[in-house]
Amino acid sequence: MNKTEFDIAIVGGGLVGASLALALAPKWRVVLIERAVQQLPSHVDTDWDNRIYAISPGSQTFLRSLGVWPPVRAGVIRQMDVRGDAGGAIHFDALDLAADALATTVENRSLQSTLWQALAGRVELINPAELQAVRFGADAVQLTLADGRELSTKLAVAADGAHSWLREKAGIPFSLQPYHQCGVVANFDCERPHGDIARQWFRADGILAWLPLPANRISIVWSTNDEHANELKALSPTELAQRVAAAGGRVLGSLHCITPAAAFPLALGRAAKVNGLRLALVGDAAHTVHPLAGQGVNLGFGDAKALAGVLNAAVGRDPGDAHLLARYARSRAEDVLRMQMVCDGLQKLFSLQYPLLRPLRNLGLNLTDGAGPLKRLLMQQAFR
Ligand SMILES: Cc1cc2nc3c(=O)[nH]c(=O)nc-3n(C[C@H](O)[C@H](O)[C@H](O)COP(=O)(O)OP(=O)(O)OC[C@H]3O[C@@H](n4cnc5c(N)ncnc54)[C@H](O)[C@@H]3O)c2cc1C
C-alpha cells in the first residue's frame, strides 16, 4: 500500500471515528488521524472514568459486529423511572419490549481503548498528529499534516467533534444554540442496591439522571444552569454526594463519591449538511444533542454504521462519489432530526416555569405512562 494515498481519511479517532474506521477497514484503504495521544485501558477498580454512556441495543449490535462488544465491565439498565416536577411519572421496563435490557452503561475510556486496540494493524493510524491544511479537489482531497507530510484521499470524513476543524475548512455552517447549561458528571458508590434501574428527575434546577454501573455504583449527569454547575463542581466529594443523594430523595440511601465531578457545556448543534465535495460528517461534527436521553454517542454510532453500510456496499466505486454521500445524508436525516426535536422539546417543556404548565406536563407524563400502545411506541423509538 502506498502510505500517502488512501480511499478514506478519517479525521478524529473518538468513539465515532474509530468505530467507522474499523467498519471500513476490511474493504478500503483507511487512514485515521487523531490529535490526542491514545492511552491503554486501565481497569483498576478504583480508577473509574466519569464519562459514562448508555449504549442502546442498536449501537451494541453495531459494536458487536466490529468485535469490540461486550466491554470488560458494564452496567445494565433493565428499567427506567422518570419523575416530573409535580407528581408526574413514567416507568419503562425491558420486559415490556420482551428484551433483557433497555441499554448498557460503559466507560468512555474503556470503549475507546478497546476500539484503538482493534484498529492496530488494520488501518493506518497517525497519532498524535495535527493537521495544517486541506484542499478539496474534484478528484481527491489533499491533507497536509503539521510535520509537513502530505496525504491524498478519495474521501475525507470529519469525525473531529463539535468544533470540527475539517467541517470549518470545508465551509459548512454549524448552527450552535447553547442551552446555557452544563452536564455535571460524577460516579458514586450507593448504600442500597440500584436494582439496574436508571432514574431521572425533571427538577426546577435542571434534569438529574442516575445511571446504574456494576458493583452497585451509579454515574450521574446533572444538566443544570452554568452557575449551579460551577457550584456543584466546587463542592467537596462528601458535600457533592450529600447534595446528589438529597436531590434524588435518598432512594439509594447515602452516596459516596468515587470520581471527581466534571462539567461539559450543553448545546444543540446542527451542520447545514453532512455531505460535501468528497466529504462526509459523522458524530458530534454533524450534530450535538441535549444529554437528557443519553443519545449523543448513539446518534454518532448510527452515522458510522450508515456511512460504512453505504460505502461497503459500493466497493470498486469511488468512495467520494457525490451520489453515495447523498445516500448517506438521506439515510440519517430523519433519525437525527427526530432525536434533536425530542430532546430539545423535553428540555424546553420542563425548563419553562409558567405555573399552568407544571401540572399539564406532569399530567402528560402520567397519561403516557397509562397509554400502553403509545408508551410501547415511545420505548421502541428510544431503546432501539
Ligand atoms: C465530559 C463529557 C461528558 C459527556 N457525557 C455524555 C453522556 O453521558 N451521554 C452522551 O450521550 N453524551 C455525552 N457526551 C457527549 C458525547 O461525548 C459525544 O456525543 C460523543 O463523544 C461524540 O463522539 P465523537 O467521536 O463524534 O466526538 P468526540 O468524542 O468529540 O471525538 C472527536 C475526536 O477528534 C479528535 N480531534 C479533534 N480535532 C481534531 C483535529 N483537528 N485533528 C485530529 N483529531 C482531532 C479529538 O481528539 C477526539 O478524539 C459527553 C461529552 C463530554 C465532553
Side-chain angles (χ1 to χ4, degrees):
M1 187 200 294
N2 182 335
K3 290 286 177 70
T4 59
E5 286 185 11
F6 297 92
D7 298 316
I8 301 160
I10 301 169
V11 178
L15 294 182
V16 177
S19 64
L20 175 64
L22 206 50
L24 294 169
K27 303 207 170 173
W28 302 94
R29 293 175 305 168
V30 180
V31 59
L32 179 60
I33 304 156
E34 165 59 46
R35 186 165 58 187
V37 179
Q38 294 304 299
Q39 290 171 349
L40 287 172
S42 163
H43 295 305
V44 183
D45 198 37
T46 50
D47 183 19
W48 281 72
D49 191 354
N50 57 16
R51 202 161 151 181
I52 304 286
Y53 299 123
I55 305 294
S56 69
S59 296
Q60 291 175 41
T61 306
F62 173 56
L63 294 170
R64 193 172 288 113
S65 75
L66 304 179
V68 293
W69 194 265
V72 177
R73 63 181 181 197
V76 181
I77 301 177
R78 296 192 204 282
Q79 296 175 42
M80 189 163 177
D81 189 57
V82 182
R83 303 282 161 147
D85 55 351
I90 186 163
H91 191 82
F92 302 105
D93 193 323
L95 290 177
D96 294 339
L97 290 179
D100 186 43
L102 296 172
T104 296
T105 54
V106 66
E107 290 158 274
N108 170 68
R109 195 174 50 208
S110 130
L111 190 52
Q112 171 83 5
S113 50
T114 306
L115 278 163
W116 270 75
Q117 279 179 335
L119 283 168
R122 298 200 207 173
V123 307
E124 184 74 14
L125 297 171
I126 306 189
N127 170 247
E130 200 65 48
L131 278 158
Q132 196 171 61
V134 58
R135 197 155 42 83
F136 294 93
D139 298 324
V141 182
Q142 308 297 331
L143 290 163
T144 308
L145 299 172
D147 64 7
R149 265 182 292 173
E150 300 261 354
L151 309 174
S152 170
T153 182
K154 292 286 179 192
L155 171 67
V157 179
D160 48 349
H163 304 287
S164 169
W165 175 89
L166 192 57
R167 183 191 64 220
E168 197 197 311
K169 290 288 166 200
I172 296 181
F174 192 69
S175 78
L176 200 67
Q177 297 167 35
Y179 285 111
H180 304 294
Q181 285 188 337
C182 281
V184 177
V185 291
N187 298 342
F188 300 86
D189 271 327
C190 313
E191 186 189 358
R192 293 193 206 127
H194 55 53
D196 298 332
I197 302 172
R199 297 173 165 86
Q200 190 164 41
W201 294 267
F202 286 87
R203 296 165 47 87
D205 60 11
I207 303 167
L208 174 63
W210 291 8
L211 300 175
L213 294 176
N216 207 37
R217 289 166 173 168
I218 57 164
S219 170
I220 70 143
V221 185
W222 198 336
S223 308
T224 188
N225 69 55
D226 296 337
E227 199 185 342
H228 187 220
N230 286 335
E231 187 195 327
L232 291 172
K233 251 185 25 166
L235 294 175
S236 71
T238 309
E239 288 168 330
L240 179 68
Q242 284 168 354
R243 190 76 75 87
V244 171
R250 298 181 60 83
V251 285
L252 299 180
S254 60
L255 301 178
H256 171 70
C257 191
I258 55 170
T259 60
F264 60 101
L266 306 180
L268 176 68
R270 193 167 177 80
K273 54 183 184 170
V274 300
N275 54 329
L277 178 62
R278 296 195 171 276
L279 174 72
L281 271 47
V282 293
D284 277 18
H287 42 68
T288 60
V289 291
H290 194 283
L292 69 88
Q295 290 298 324
V297 80
N298 290 307
L299 272 184
F301 284 136
D303 296 344
K305 184 179 169 204
L307 184 57
V310 168
L311 295 175
N312 286 343
V315 175
R317 285 176 65 181
D318 176 353
D321 182 331
H323 293 101
L324 293 178
L325 302 180
R327 190 175 303 159
Y328 158 66
R330 278 196 304 274
S331 74
R332 293 304 291 149
E334 196 186 318
D335 268 7
V336 172
L337 185 65
R338 187 175 43 221
M339 191 52 73
Q340 287 195 313
M341 282 173 65
V342 167
C343 294
D344 191 52
L346 275 173
Q347 194 278 334
K348 291 205 163 68
L349 182 65
F350 278 91
S351 60
L352 292 171
Q353 294 304 326
Y354 300 124
L356 273 178
L357 202 57
R358 276 184 85 200
L360 274 180
R361 62 195 176 205
N362 284 275
L363 180 67
L365 279 182
N366 288 334
L367 286 176
T368 311
D369 196 41
L374 173 63
K375 188 172 154 185
R376 202 163 305 113
L377 189 71
L378 205 66
M379 289 179 77
Q380 279 159 353
Q381 296 292 324
F383 304 112
R384 62 189 170 151

